[in-house]
Amino acid sequence: MESGVEELMPRLLPVDDCDLTEDFDPTVPPRTPQEYLKRVQIEAARCPDVVVAQIDPKKLRKKQTVNISISGCQPAPEGYSPTLKWQQQQVANFSAVRQSLNKHRNHWQSQHLDSNVTMPKPEDEEGWKKFCLGERIYSDTLSYDESLGIDYIKVGFPPLLSIVSRMSQATVTSVLEYLISWFGEKKFTPELGRWLYALLACLEKPLLPEAHSLIRQLARRCSEVRVLEENKNEEQISALNLIICLVSR
């Protein structure tokens, strides 16, 4: 036995040191307590210091089921609560999007980005907010001349597959956190909704604890905005319902 092991695991029974080079036949049962303890020593000494489990992530993703309890969510306004059939359909659609994204991720990563697309660094919070939402929403300025064509710097870049496929899980979680933080003080917009949906689809299972916390926070914020919706805009409430549904289910 190595001295380092001796210090960490003090010997509890009086057993002499064994010769690890001697022949050892594991099929022969020990005949005495001393032989049994010697066998334990030999087997422990032959164990590798580090053992790595061979896990197939594809099998893990197929069998992984996540149920998230959301406390603090406000109930939907009367007449705007989604039906169970609608929720099941949305979950099925979302699952299909996730599977397609995982299947074709390498293909979309290999596609060249347009020359005007410069993805911010993962730690650039303000850069990602402007990239996703556009300077018009980020700066809360409504003036924009659409007749001049689409200016993605102004209106924000959509979550194209060629963009989100390049984002690591750490980046996906960070950008999700940036947008949820922004949403905590701002109104819901279609641009925000598209990116939230895309980032949720990019999250890989099993979810990390911080991802669990983030999406629960997102669902609670969506429920608050849904209650405060004065004009009861059906399209907006439907979008909020969708996010709450996907997080909870």
Side-chain angles (χ1 to χ4, degrees):
M1 300 286 284
E2 296 182 3
S3 60
V5 178
E6 287 283 352
E7 293 176 2
L8 293 174
M9 302 172 60
R11 190 180 305 224
L12 299 180
L13 295 173
V15 182
D16 295 332
D17 290 335
C18 61
D19 183 5
L20 299 181
T21 61
E22 67 181 12
D23 293 336
F24 171 60
D25 186 358
T27 63
V28 178
R31 293 167 295 181
T32 65
Q34 287 76 17
E35 286 187 4
Y36 170 77
L37 294 173
K38 183 177 291 187
R39 175 169 299 194
V40 172
Q41 277 187 309
I42 295 174
E43 290 178 348
R46 292 183 176 181
C47 287
D49 293 334
V50 178
V51 179
V52 179
Q54 300 299 322
I55 299 175
D56 186 349
K58 294 181 180 179
K59 293 182 179 179
L60 183 64
R61 279 196 291 268
K62 289 180 180 178
K63 296 181 179 180
Q64 186 74 10
T65 300
V66 178
N67 293 315
I68 297 179
S69 174
I70 305 176
S71 58
C73 267
Q74 304 292 329
E78 185 175 357
Y80 290 93
S81 180
T83 65
L84 177 59
K85 182 178 180 181
W86 182 89
Q87 294 181 57
Q88 292 172 337
Q89 183 60 53
Q90 299 308 318
V91 171
N93 294 342
F94 181 70
S95 178
V97 170
R98 285 174 56 83
Q99 292 177 13
S100 178
L101 178 60
N102 287 328
K103 182 178 180 180
H104 302 291
R105 186 182 299 274
N106 291 336
H107 167 75
W108 288 109
Q109 282 179 343
S110 64
Q111 302 301 304
H112 294 291
L113 295 175
D114 291 341
S115 58
N116 64 331
V117 180
T118 303
M119 296 173 63
K121 295 182 179 179
E123 66 275 10
D124 185 2
E125 179 174 354
E126 303 307 313
W128 274 108
K129 290 176 182 177
K130 293 179 181 178
F131 183 87
C132 299
L133 306 175
E135 292 182 351
R136 180 170 60 101
I137 293 177
Y138 177 81
S139 304
D140 203 17
T141 56
L142 299 178
S143 58
Y144 173 65
D145 189 356
E146 296 184 359
S147 64
L148 300 177
I150 298 177
D151 183 352
Y152 288 114
I153 303 298
K154 294 289 186 182
V155 301
F157 289 91
L160 302 174
L161 288 171
S162 56
I163 293 177
V164 297
S165 295
R166 284 175 161 78
M167 299 170 66
S168 66
Q169 281 300 290
T171 303
V172 169
T173 304
S174 294
V175 176
L176 191 59
E177 182 178 6
Y178 301 153
L179 295 182
I180 292 173
S181 174
W182 185 88
F183 182 35
E185 301 176 354
K186 303 290 185 177
K187 63 182 181 179
F188 186 85
T189 66
E191 292 82 359
L192 175 64
R194 284 193 289 268
W195 268 99
L196 291 175
Y197 188 95
L199 293 172
L200 289 175
C202 289
L203 283 177
E204 294 181 357
K205 300 175 184 177
L207 294 178
L208 297 175
E210 52 265 36
H212 268 282
S213 177
L214 278 173
I215 63 179
R216 283 197 299 266
Q217 180 183 342
L218 172 61
R220 285 193 292 267
R221 176 56 180 164
C222 286
S223 72
E224 294 171 358
V225 174
R226 182 178 60 181
V227 170
L228 298 174
E229 178 66 28
E230 296 179 354
N231 300 323
K232 295 297 181 283
N233 183 307
E234 286 196 28
E235 184 175 341
Q236 177 146 312
I237 289 183
S238 179
L240 296 169
N241 282 340
L242 173 59
I243 295 176
I244 297 171
C245 168
L246 297 179
V247 171
S248 62
R249 292 188 172 273

